[in-house]
C-alpha cells in the first residue's frame, strides 16, 4: 500500500498539480498565526506547546481516519493515503518554476529567466548572468526536491498511515513561520527550528547518498565530506555539495546581487553550472526518486515474504 500510495500521488500531482497556496495550507497558516498571536510570550516552552497543538491534532486525526477506513476496506485507506500525499508532496511544487527558467535560458530569453527565478526564490536576480541564474536555479531545485519529495517520502514510509507526511510538511511550514529567527529577539520559534533540524537529520543524508549513487559517487562523497560544513546551513550544504559533486559542476561561489558581491563558499567540482546543467540536475533528481521507490518496493516484498 505504501508504494502504491506514492506512485498514485505522484502521478496525480503530475496530471493536476496543487500549488503551495491551496486552501488547505492557507487554512493551516491562519491557524498557526492564531496560535502565535495567542501563545507567543517570547518563551521556548510556549513555542513547544504551540508546535504540539499545531501538529498533533492533524496527525492523530490522519491516523484515526486511516485505520477507520482500513477496517472498512483497504482501498479506502489507500485513497486516504493518496489524498494526504497529494496535499503534502510532489515534483510540481517546484518543477514548473524550474522548467520555466530552463526553457527561457535555452531560448536566450535571459531577462525572462531572471524574472522567473526571482518569483521562485524571492531573491534579487536583476544583475545575474545566465550561468549565475543556472546555478541558483539548480540550488533551489535541489533544496525544493528534498522538501517536497524526499523528506516527505521518508516520513510517510516510517510512520503509520499518512501521519508522517503530515508531520514533515506541517513542521516545515512552522519552521518557515516561527523558526529561523534571532534567538535573542524571540525564543518562541526555537523548538520549531530544532524540530525541523531533527526531522531532517536522517533523510537529508539519505537523499545526499542517493545523489551520489545516481551520479558521480566519488566526487559527491568528497564534496559532501569536505565542503558541506562551509555552507551556512549544514543540512542544505550536504544536499548541495553532494548534488554538485554528483553532477560534476560547481555551485555556490560569489553572486552579484543588490549592487554588491555576495560571497558564498564553493561547492562541487568541475565546470561552472550553465543552462545545459539544468537538465542534468532534473535527471539526477528523478533518478534518485526512482531509486527510493525501488528500495521501498524491495522493502515491501521482503515484508510480504517475511
Amino acid at each position: 500500500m505504501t508504494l502504491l500510495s506514492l506512485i498514485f500521488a505522484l502521478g496525480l500531482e503530475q496530471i493536476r498539480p496543487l500549488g503551495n497556496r491551496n486552501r488547505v495550507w492557507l487554512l493551516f497558516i491562519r491557524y498557526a498565526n492564531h496560535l502565535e498571536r495567542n501563545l507567543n510570550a517570547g518563551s521556548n516552552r510556549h513555542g513547544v506547546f504551540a508546535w504540539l497543538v499545531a501538529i498533533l491534532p492533524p496527525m492523530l486525526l490522519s491516523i484515526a481516519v486511516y485505520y477507520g477506513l482500513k477496517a472498512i476496506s483497504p482501498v479506502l485507506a489507500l485513497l486516504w493515503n493518496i489524498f494526504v500525499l497529494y496535499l503534502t508532496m510532489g515534483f510540481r511544487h517546484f518543477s514548473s518554476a524550474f522548467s520555466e527558467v530552463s526553457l527561457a535560458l535555452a531560448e536566450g530569453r535571459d531577462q525572462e529567466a531572471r524574472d522567473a527565478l526571482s518569483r521562485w526564490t524571492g531573491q534579487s536576480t536583476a544583475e545575474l548572468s545566465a550561468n549565475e541564474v543556472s546555478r541558483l536555479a539548480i540550488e533551489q531545485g535541489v533544496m525544493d526536491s528534498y522538501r517536497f519529495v524526499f523528506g516527505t517520502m521518508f516520513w510517510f514510509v516510517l510512520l503509520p498511515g499518512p501521519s508522517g507526511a503530515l508531520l514533515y510538511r506541517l513542521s516545515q511550514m512552522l519552521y518557515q513561520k516561527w523558526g529561523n529567527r534571532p534567538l535573542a529577539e524571540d525564543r518562541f520559534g526555537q523548538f520549531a527550528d530544532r524540530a525541523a533540524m531533527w526531522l531532517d537529520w536522517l533523510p537529508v543524508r539519505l537523499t545526499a547518498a542517493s545523489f551520489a549513487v545516481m551520479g558521480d559517487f566519488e566526487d559527491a562523497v568528497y564534496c559532501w565530506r569536505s565542503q558541506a560544513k562551509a555552507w551556512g546551513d549544514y543540512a542544505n550544504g550536504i544536499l548541495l555539495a553532494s548534488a554538485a559533486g554528483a553532477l560534476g559542476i560547481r555551485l555556490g561561489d560569489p553572486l552579484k546581487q543588490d549592487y554588491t558581491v555576495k560571497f558564498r563558499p564553493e561547492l562541487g567540482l568541475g565546470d561552472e553550472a550553465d543552462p545545459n546543467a539544468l537538465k542534468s540536475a532534473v535527471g539526477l533528481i528523478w533518478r534518485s526518486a526512482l531509486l527510493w521507490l525501488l528500495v521501498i518496493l524491495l522493502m515491501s516484498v521482503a515484508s510480504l515474504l517475511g
Side-chain angles (χ1 to χ4, degrees):
M1 184 180 293
T2 298
L3 181 63
L4 288 176
S5 300
L6 289 167
I7 292 174
F8 280 115
L10 288 171
L12 179 61
E13 196 259 346
Q14 291 293 313
I15 297 170
R16 189 176 179 84
L18 188 68
N20 289 328
R21 306 299 293 177
N22 62 78
R23 294 181 180 179
V24 175
W25 296 140
L26 289 176
L27 182 63
F28 180 77
I29 289 172
R30 294 192 190 102
Y31 178 51
N33 290 336
H34 173 76
L35 290 175
E36 183 174 10
R37 283 194 302 269
N38 289 276
L39 297 176
N40 186 1
S43 170
N44 179 52
R45 67 177 183 272
H46 295 108
V48 174
F49 180 71
W51 191 94
L52 293 174
V53 170
I55 296 242
L56 286 184
M59 279 189 65
L60 295 176
L61 177 63
S62 73
I63 295 174
V65 171
Y66 171 76
Y67 282 111
L69 292 175
K70 190 175 182 180
I72 300 172
S73 169
V75 175
L76 293 177
L78 174 66
L79 292 175
W80 175 243
N81 278 352
I82 294 171
F83 172 71
V84 176
L85 282 172
Y86 177 62
L87 292 175
T88 55
M89 71 175 295
F91 280 95
R92 293 298 292 273
H93 286 283
F94 66 92
S95 64
S96 58
F98 196 94
S99 299
E100 186 179 0
V101 173
S102 178
L103 181 60
L105 288 175
E107 296 178 352
R109 295 180 283 112
D110 292 357
Q111 185 56 50
E112 293 183 27
R114 285 191 285 268
D115 293 341
L117 181 63
S118 180
R119 290 191 298 270
W120 181 17
T121 65
Q123 298 186 46
S124 172
T125 61
E127 305 163 73
L128 300 183
S129 66
N131 284 357
E132 290 171 329
V133 169
S134 302
R135 199 190 319 158
L136 271 186
I138 292 172
E139 291 171 7
Q140 191 68 39
V142 167
M143 291 187 292
D144 281 1
S145 71
Y146 168 74
R147 295 189 188 102
F148 290 111
V149 180
F150 298 105
T152 307
M153 191 185 300
F154 174 85
W155 286 105
F156 170 71
V157 172
L158 197 65
L159 297 182
S163 62
L166 269 180
L167 167 66
Y168 187 75
R169 176 59 45 232
L170 298 183
S171 70
Q172 285 291 310
M173 295 174 72
L174 293 182
Y175 167 73
Q176 292 171 6
K177 291 197 65 63
W178 299 347
N180 201 25
R181 298 175 179 176
L183 189 59
E185 297 178 10
D186 187 0
R187 297 176 63 88
F188 179 79
Q190 183 179 6
F191 184 77
D193 187 88
R194 288 183 177 177
M197 180 184 66
W198 294 333
L199 291 174
D200 278 337
W201 194 94
L202 184 55
V204 158
R205 286 154 177 80
L206 291 177
T207 304
S210 66
F211 289 159
V213 170
M214 304 311 295
D216 188 319
F217 184 84
E218 291 185 3
D219 285 353
V221 173
Y222 171 79
C223 294
W224 174 356
R225 296 181 61 184
S226 63
Q227 298 176 338
K229 289 184 179 179
W231 200 254
D233 185 305
Y234 185 39
N236 287 340
I238 292 173
L239 293 170
L240 295 176
S242 60
L247 291 168
I249 60 174
R250 293 202 319 273
L251 299 176
D253 285 336
L255 290 175
K256 297 185 292 294
Q257 289 182 318
D258 298 321
Y259 305 101
T260 186
V261 177
K262 182 180 179 181
F263 292 97
R264 308 183 310 160
E266 178 182 300
L267 299 175
L269 300 168
D271 298 328
E272 181 180 1
D274 58 23
N276 293 326
L278 293 170
K279 292 182 179 179
S280 299
V282 172
L284 176 68
I285 292 168
W286 269 108
R287 292 195 304 273
S288 300
L290 292 175
L291 175 64
W292 280 48
L293 292 176
L294 176 60
V295 171
I296 294 170
L297 173 61
L298 295 175
M299 292 170 57
S300 300
V301 171
S303 177
L304 288 174
L305 295 178

